[in-house]
Amino acid sequence: MPLNPTAEVRIHYPLNGRRMVLRTSNDWHRDVSPTLQTRDKAIFTFWEPSEPLEFKPMLVDDHGQHWSQGRNYTLYPYWGRPFTIYPHFFEGATEGTISEQIGIPSDNPDEQLFTARIYMPPGYRENTLKRYPVLYMHDGTNLFFPDEAFLGREWQVDETMNLLNALSVIDKTIVVGIYAANRNHDYTHPGYHRYGEGVVHHLKTHIDRNYRTLSDPIHTGVMGSSLGGVVSFYLAWQWPKVFGKVACMSSTFGYRDDLYERVRKDPKRPVRIYLDSGWPEDNFDATKRMKDLLIHHGFQFGSDLLYFNFPLAGHHEGFWAARLHIPFQFLFGKNNDRKKPPIAPDPPGPTF
């Protein structure tokens, strides 16, 4: 199969009469003009690079030239598909924004009201063409602010997301931090079924209606720790056509739930699962048992299952914050859910 001699970069941005150019590591002082530009897209075509090519979009308007925010992009040889990006030029480069607490009502007055904060990644407000994966996280009071968190220890969700976004190792993701109304009831059997119906049919519907989300299961995850890990696992196992990813940290499996039995009896779910715990306490045995059940059920370590234990790690937000980057990368790492690009054949050898 012959190699494609060209590489294509597609930049999506609401141009509104402005012009998009590229600067590249071939010459950072020279503009590269697009092959095609429309009102919301610019396409650049290059000869296939023989070595990595760094580039950065630049927006040109009546006020001058504006570099895109964040790190340079890199186009690698034999990439094999269009390189698509959604840059931003004026918002802060590395910090997302966190909403005020918002109340999300149900259509049914007998159903509970959800309270949540929404983390929106860098560029969300500026580049209105981009849609985002969503992670629903439990125990919302502990996620973002120490003055809300239990004993003042928070998960540092926004700091971790901002760092991973700056490193360009994850897909930028919206985080919905769900505040617990009745934790011991909603996060355990049988209360977690009605709670889950509310999350699926009301909370998620509201988020998908009001934010630019990618709403399919491959782009939707759920996550929590302790009992929050239990209810997260339940949501993904019960509604795999809604949640295609789940992370459960230090989860209290077997306390007040039927999840071991469900995993033994139910068909395997098309869900990517992250499990972890500390040791020797911190629900180590309960988490290991769940991991063993999942492997027996056909889950493959490193593919749709990842499991770690952390010696001497305890059961509180400080420990979860320290390792939060691991499940974020497993669930939302760049290209995790896409086909790998084709590998180019070796070039022909010399002729003698």
Side-chain angles (χ1 to χ4, degrees):
M1 180 177 176
L3 292 179
N4 185 350
T6 61
E8 186 175 279
V9 174
R10 298 178 182 177
I11 300 178
H12 297 266
Y13 188 81
L15 290 163
N16 300 323
R18 295 168 291 186
R19 191 164 62 94
M20 187 74 70
V21 298
L22 288 187
R23 296 282 181 90
T24 76
S25 53
N26 287 338
D27 184 349
W28 286 113
H29 300 287
R30 184 174 69 87
D31 291 347
V32 177
S33 296
T35 308
L36 172 69
Q37 178 171 313
T38 67
R39 63 181 182 179
D40 57 10
K41 179 171 61 178
I43 297 177
F44 299 82
T45 305
F46 303 89
W47 288 107
E48 186 83 54
S50 58
E51 57 186 36
L53 177 71
E54 290 190 56
F55 68 92
K56 205 171 183 69
M58 181 176 282
L59 184 67
V60 182
D61 61 18
D62 293 339
H63 302 287
Q65 297 175 317
H66 312 278
W67 290 99
S68 67
Q69 299 284 297
R71 295 166 63 92
N72 296 340
Y73 299 92
T74 304
L75 182 64
Y76 291 96
Y78 313 126
W79 179 251
R81 61 180 183 269
F83 193 113
T84 301
I85 58 175
Y86 292 80
H88 62 283
F89 298 86
F90 303 105
E91 282 189 25
T94 60
E95 293 190 1
T97 57
I98 303 168
S99 74
E100 298 295 325
Q101 289 187 31
I102 59 173
I104 300 166
S106 165
D107 297 332
N108 183 346
D110 295 329
E111 294 285 350
Q112 69 186 59
L113 172 79
F114 286 98
T115 301
R117 286 189 189 270
I118 316 298
Y119 166 86
M120 290 158 284
Y124 179 87
R125 299 183 188 280
E126 179 186 334
N127 192 337
T128 54
L129 301 179
K130 183 171 175 58
R131 306 188 78 85
Y132 296 85
V134 183
L135 176 62
Y136 293 84
M137 295 188 69
H138 290 101
D139 289 310
T141 53
N142 296 329
L143 301 182
F144 301 114
F145 300 109
D147 58 342
E148 291 184 353
F150 180 67
L151 298 179
R153 294 187 294 227
E154 49 125 341
W155 282 53
Q156 300 181 339
V157 167
D158 51 318
E159 292 91 341
T160 303
M161 276 288 182
N162 290 339
L163 176 59
L164 296 176
N165 286 329
L167 294 173
S168 194
V169 295
I170 62 169
D171 292 324
K172 290 181 178 179
T173 300
I174 294 170
V175 179
V176 180
I178 310 170
Y179 284 61
N182 187 349
R183 190 174 190 272
N184 286 334
H185 177 269
D186 293 341
Y187 290 7
T188 60
H189 178 74
Y192 54 29
H193 184 73
R194 184 178 179 186
Y195 169 81
E197 288 184 324
V199 171
V200 170
H201 299 301
H202 299 296
L203 176 60
K204 185 176 186 299
T205 298
H206 176 90
I207 297 299
D208 289 338
R209 184 183 297 139
N210 290 279
Y211 295 85
R212 299 193 312 276
T213 68
L214 296 166
S215 60
D216 58 315
I218 202 171
H219 293 106
T220 306
V222 60
M223 180 174 182
S225 65
S226 194
L227 289 179
V230 170
V231 69
S232 296
F233 191 101
Y234 173 78
L235 290 176
W237 198 262
Q238 181 69 18
W239 288 282
K241 293 183 179 180
V242 177
F243 302 103
K245 312 166 187 279
V246 59
C248 310
M249 305 175 80
S250 308
S251 301
T252 320
F253 295 121
Y255 167 58
R256 283 170 51 193
D257 63 77
D258 58 353
L259 296 178
Y260 291 142
E261 190 69 15
R262 291 285 304 273
V263 171
R264 275 195 295 265
K265 291 185 175 180
D266 292 349
K268 182 178 183 290
R269 302 301 202 245
V271 175
R272 174 173 287 198
I273 300 175
Y274 172 91
L275 303 175
D276 77 16
S277 74
W279 178 89
E281 304 296 335
D282 193 39
N283 296 318
F284 169 78
D285 291 325
T287 302
K288 184 176 182 299
R289 181 182 178 191
M290 180 59 80
K291 179 265 297 184
D292 291 340
L293 282 171
L294 290 168
I295 290 177
H296 182 74
H297 208 9
F299 283 83
Q300 295 186 348
F301 188 81
S303 176
D304 53 3
L305 175 65
L306 198 62
Y307 163 79
F308 289 107
N309 64 76
F310 296 89
L312 306 182
H315 193 83
H316 67 68
E317 287 73 18
F319 288 105
W320 299 324
R323 61 184 191 255
L324 188 58
H325 63 97
I326 302 173
F328 280 179
Q329 291 180 78
F330 180 63
L331 299 186
F332 295 101
K334 283 187 179 293
N335 302 314
N336 275 357
D337 299 308
R338 303 183 183 98
K339 292 182 179 179
K340 295 180 180 179
I343 301 299
D346 292 334
T351 301
F352 295 99

